[in-house]
Amino acid sequence: GSGVLIVRAANLQRQLGGVIVVVGYGARAEGDDAARRANAQARTNTIVNGLINLGVDRAQIRAGVGDGRVDASRVDLALTGARTATRPR
């Protein structure tokens, strides 16, 4: 589930550095633009709080709400500016 992905993102950020970008979206079925934006913000806040609870520094998180063109109830996560992972030999 999403909890596993949050833990994975936190672990990757600790190992590789960088900034976790969190973007929430709302689906058209959730109501008008204001309702979708509120739901998207709530989703984003939930993920950000989870990352902070897992030890990610708030300064290493960028959060926002996506534009209304995406019709989905979801949150996207990305790790930017991280060191390249190396595989053990």
Side-chain angles (χ1 to χ4, degrees):
S2 61
V4 172
L5 294 176
I6 296 168
V7 170
R8 192 173 294 165
N11 287 337
L12 280 172
Q13 194 281 328
R14 276 195 295 276
Q15 292 170 3
L16 303 175
V19 173
I20 298 176
V21 179
V22 182
V23 181
Y25 298 93
R28 288 186 188 98
E30 294 176 323
D32 63 12
D33 285 345
R36 288 194 311 268
R37 188 165 184 78
N39 287 334
Q41 187 64 58
R43 286 184 187 94
T44 299
N45 292 345
T46 298
I47 300 303
V48 168
N49 290 334
L51 291 167
I52 291 169
N53 288 337
L54 290 168
V56 177
D57 187 331
R58 180 63 180 96
Q60 299 309 119
I61 302 170
R62 300 289 177 266
V65 174
D67 62 39
R69 292 178 290 174
V70 175
D71 183 19
S73 299
R74 73 174 197 230
V75 176
D76 290 344
L77 296 174
L79 183 61
T80 64
R83 297 183 302 275
T84 303
T86 56
R87 293 187 177 171
R89 296 177 188 240

